[in-house]
Amino acid sequence: MSFEFCNLTLNNMLLAIDIGNTNISFAIFKGGKIIESWDIPLKEYRGIRTLETPIKDALICSVVPQITQRVSRDIEKATGVKPKIIEKDILIPLKNLYKKPEQLGTDRLLNAYAASQIYSAPAIIVSCGTAITIDAVSKNSEYLGGFIIPGLNSSLSALNLNTALLPKVKLAPATKNIGRNTQDCILNGVVLGSASAIDALIEAISFKTGTNTKIIGTGGDINLMKKFSKRAIRVNKNLLLNGIFLLYKGELLAETRDCRDNLLKKT
């Protein structure tokens, strides 16, 4: 029995797009592996370049609604493929226990889904980007909720913008010494303070997730936070992009089952 007419294979080229508050990340998957990836700062986005790789499908995860349709149109123009929008066209198959589920960022739910699929539940996901989010998945693979605190660069910018005399400080590894000049005081305070906050929030959330909880880290600043955190954080900087592929894989398998069932009905 052949299902080739379904035209479904995990070797299809998938273009995964993560539209975040700072960057738009692109990755091309083949057979579950990223074969090409690139980032564009959100403020510098002018369109998507012509792709040499033929794309079969495209999925977008976005937390910036005002640019989602523009990116979607640009992708369709460049590749001939109309992207699907996650949580609009494809739902994330993870029970969401947020009091108002529609308020939860798609990126947080998708990271939680990816962590539960790749590392198994229970899990805590620490994402360090424009904001630092800490999210929990129960042993029953339910999204429980989490915490949000300012990201490292957001904190540095806030200190400069909201004070008269504090300088703008570029993010860099901190020292564990007491700061003896204003720049070191700010940098050490933000970096070490954020790492300490992450550790404390992980401890608080662990009471809900229980023993054997995996701690998964992602986001642009996660390696810096891991250096100063006292927790055993497993870093997966492509966690969200991998989550997009896992959703795509699930859709393919569901469509393949539908094709099989339809064929069996006809025979």
Side-chain angles (χ1 to χ4, degrees):
M1 182 181 295
S2 174
F3 305 115
E4 292 179 357
F5 71 94
C6 297
N7 195 30
L8 298 171
T9 170
L10 291 179
N11 285 322
N12 289 343
M13 297 294 187
L14 169 70
L15 176 61
I17 308 97
D18 169 23
I19 302 177
N21 289 299
T22 302
N23 292 312
I24 305 177
S25 298
F26 299 84
I28 298 176
F29 281 85
K30 180 179 181 181
K33 295 182 179 180
I34 296 175
I35 61 172
E36 185 178 354
S37 64
W38 66 99
D39 295 329
I40 300 176
L42 186 65
K43 293 181 179 180
E44 298 177 15
Y45 179 77
R46 301 293 182 271
I48 183 172
R49 60 181 172 81
T50 301
L51 301 180
E52 297 180 1
T53 305
I55 300 301
K56 176 64 179 177
D57 292 296
L59 268 67
I60 295 176
C61 174
S62 175
V63 294
V64 191
Q66 58 268 34
I67 199 174
T68 304
Q69 291 305 318
R70 177 185 170 189
V71 174
S72 179
R73 288 193 298 269
D74 290 345
I75 291 170
E76 187 172 8
K77 184 177 180 181
T79 67
V81 174
K82 182 177 177 59
K84 292 182 179 180
I85 312 300
I86 295 172
E87 285 295 272
K88 176 185 175 184
D89 302 314
I90 298 176
L91 298 180
I92 300 170
L94 186 70
K95 187 174 183 180
N96 183 355
L97 298 185
Y98 233 41
K99 287 185 177 179
K100 294 184 178 180
E102 69 279 2
Q103 292 183 352
L104 179 63
T106 304
D107 57 339
R108 294 172 65 191
L109 187 60
L110 186 54
N111 272 334
Y113 169 71
S116 68
Q117 293 294 302
I118 297 171
Y119 301 97
S120 76
I124 294 173
I125 301 90
V126 180
S127 179
C128 297
T130 307
I132 295 173
T133 59
I134 301 167
D135 296 293
V137 180
S138 74
K139 63 180 181 180
N140 297 319
S141 293
E142 302 162 317
Y143 175 81
L144 298 176
F147 303 99
I148 302 175
I149 60 176
L152 301 179
N153 280 303
S154 297
S155 296
L156 292 173
S157 295
L159 287 172
N160 172 241
L161 293 173
N162 296 314
T163 62
L165 296 177
L166 292 181
K168 186 174 183 179
V169 176
K170 185 177 180 180
L171 182 61
T175 67
K176 295 186 178 181
N177 299 320
I178 297 175
R180 298 185 65 182
N181 58 61
T182 302
Q183 179 167 323
D184 285 348
C185 285
I186 292 173
L187 188 60
N188 290 1
V190 167
V191 174
L192 297 179
S194 296
S196 296
I198 288 172
D199 288 346
L201 293 173
I202 288 174
E203 182 176 358
I205 212 169
S206 294
F207 286 105
K208 292 289 186 181
T209 57
T211 58
N212 301 319
T213 299
K214 279 74 66 178
I215 303 172
I216 315 303
T218 192
D221 295 327
I222 187 59
N223 283 324
L224 181 57
M225 284 293 89
K226 177 180 171 64
K227 181 177 179 180
F228 293 98
S229 171
K230 296 178 181 179
R231 298 287 175 168
I233 299 175
R234 308 182 192 185
V235 173
N236 184 337
K237 297 196 74 171
N238 292 320
L239 183 65
L240 191 141
L241 292 169
N242 286 326
I244 293 176
F245 173 78
L246 290 171
L247 279 184
Y248 178 66
K249 177 181 176 182
E251 285 289 297
L252 286 182
L253 293 175
E255 291 182 32
T256 301
R257 286 193 296 270
D258 289 342
C259 289
R260 177 196 62 194
D261 293 344
N262 288 335
L263 182 60
L264 290 174
K265 290 177 182 178
K266 296 177 181 178
T267 58

